[in-house]
Amino acid sequence: MRENLDWHAARAALEWQIELGATDCIGDAPSDSFALPAEAPWKTRARPAPPRRAEKPAPTEAPPAAVATDPTVDPVAVARATAAAATDLDTLRATMAAFEHCELKKGARNLVFCDGQPAARVMIVGEAPGRDEDRQGKPFVGRAGQLLDRMFAAIDMGRDAPDPARALYITNMLPWRPPQNRDPSAQELAMMRPFIERHIALADPQVLVLMGRISTGALLETREGITRLRGQWRTLMDRPCLPMLHPAYLLRTPAAKRHAWSDLLSLQARMRELP
Ligand code: URA
C-alpha cells in the first residue's frame, strides 16, 4: 500500500477493495483473535486510568471540498477560458481531463466524456456517471443506461445507429462520478457548466434531451420540478430542448413510464418536422 495516499486516493482504493469483495482488514502484523489475555480482565483490580483529555479537540476529518482551495484561482473562470479554447471534441475531452479544480476527479477512475455519434441530430445530457460508467468510461451503461437504450430503440433511435438521423450522442453534466452517487453540488455544476456548454456548441445537435432533474435544473436554470417540466419543449442554446424523466427514476417508479413514452413520441414527431 502506498503511504502517501491522500484522502481521495485512499478512499478510492478502499472502495475498490470492497467492490472486489474484501470484508476484513488485514494488518501487517499477525494477530491471534483466539488468544486469551495474559490475565483475565475480571481479576484485575486496578481500574484503568481515565483517558487523558486531549488539549485540543481531536481533529475531525475535513469533508472533501468541492473546489481545490487556492483562493487566487477562480475555477469557473479557468473552466470558461479553457473550454472556450477547445475547437473540437477531442481537444475538449483533453482539456477536461487536464482540469484540476474539481475534487470529484480525484475519486473517479475515469473521465466519462461521451458515447454515441457526435454527428447525431439528438444529444442527450444526463447527470453524472455512476459506478458502471466510472468503470467503463462511458455514459449510461448501467441499468439506467440499458433502460435508456430500450426507450430510444422503441422510436428507432440508438447510440450505435450509423445514420445521424437515428443516432444519439450522449454525455453528462459532470464527467466524474460523485462519491456514493450523491447529487452533484451546485458548486460542481457551476464549475463544469462551461464544459457542457462548449460540448453542446461543438457537437451542435439539432435537438437536446435533458435527462432528469439535475441537467434540466442546471441548464434551464430553474427550480421547477422535473415532473412539471418533462415533456415541455424549451429552447436552450438556440435549439429545441426536451426535459425528460431520468431512466433511474423510471426504474424506481415504473408507473411514470407512460410519461416517458409520451415524451419519446413527442421527440419523434419533432424530429420528423425538422429538416
Ligand atoms: N445516470 C446519468 O445521469 N448518467 C450516466 O451516465 C449514468 C447514470
Side-chain angles (χ1 to χ4, degrees):
M1 172 74 79
R2 282 184 291 136
E3 275 164 14
N4 56 350
L5 290 181
D6 67 10
W7 188 92
H8 295 279
R11 181 179 177 145
L14 179 60
E15 283 181 353
W16 174 231
Q17 294 293 325
I18 292 169
E19 278 176 27
L20 288 176
T23 53
D24 292 293
C25 280
I26 300 175
D28 290 337
S31 76
D32 180 356
S33 319
F34 297 102
L36 289 171
E39 184 155 23
W42 60 87
K43 291 193 183 160
T44 315
R45 281 273 155 96
R47 290 177 155 244
R52 286 188 29 204
R53 280 186 86 101
E55 278 165 28
K56 284 197 230 148
T60 52
E61 191 174 45
V67 186
T69 47
D70 178 347
T72 61
V73 175
D74 174 0
V76 180
V78 176
R80 227 180 266 133
T82 54
T87 50
D88 57 51
L89 291 171
D90 286 341
T91 318
L92 182 67
R93 181 201 291 258
T95 302
M96 288 169 73
F99 184 71
E100 297 296 344
H101 300 283
C102 181
E103 292 284 305
L104 295 179
K105 178 180 178 182
K106 297 184 181 164
R109 271 187 223 163
N110 280 302
L111 173 104
V112 176
F113 184 69
C114 71
D115 197 20
Q117 269 233 48
R121 293 168 70 202
V122 174
M123 178 170 181
I124 297 176
V125 183
E127 178 180 325
R131 193 188 62 171
D132 296 318
E133 290 77 18
D134 181 43
R135 281 186 171 175
Q136 296 187 36
K138 283 185 186 179
F140 283 104
V141 291
R143 278 185 71 221
Q146 287 157 21
L147 176 58
L148 178 140
D149 285 339
R150 291 199 296 278
M151 286 161 60
F152 281 86
I155 55 164
D156 200 23
M157 298 188 83
R159 63 178 98 192
D160 296 326
D163 172 8
R166 294 181 41 236
L168 298 172
Y169 183 60
I170 308 178
T171 190
N172 280 312
M173 292 299 298
L174 300 182
W176 297 292
R177 179 192 183 192
Q180 271 84 49
N181 296 346
R182 65 158 168 74
D183 281 355
S185 69
Q187 206 176 20
E188 288 156 355
L189 289 167
M191 194 190 307
M192 300 310 289
R193 189 184 170 115
F195 293 113
I196 184 64
E197 286 182 350
R198 190 74 185 136
H199 203 155
I200 293 169
L202 290 171
D204 196 20
Q206 270 186 320
V207 167
L208 283 164
V209 172
L210 305 183
M211 207 42 100
R213 67 188 166 89
I214 299 285
S215 55
T216 300
L219 288 175
L220 296 182
E221 297 182 281
T222 176
R223 296 177 75 88
E224 241 185 293
I226 185 67
T227 46
R228 286 174 69 90
L229 284 174
R230 58 137 282 270
Q232 293 185 32
W233 285 93
R234 297 287 165 103
T235 301
L236 180 65
M237 296 176 66
D238 299 325
R239 65 203 80 213
C241 97
L242 180 66
M244 284 186 63
L245 297 172
H246 196 287
Y249 173 78
L250 298 176
L251 287 171
R252 295 191 301 271
T253 322
K257 284 185 183 166
R258 66 197 165 92
H259 298 309
W261 178 234
S262 137
D263 299 346
L264 286 167
L265 293 178
S266 170
L267 173 67
Q268 189 179 44
R270 188 73 177 236
M271 296 313 295
R272 286 188 179 140
E273 282 165 16
L274 288 171

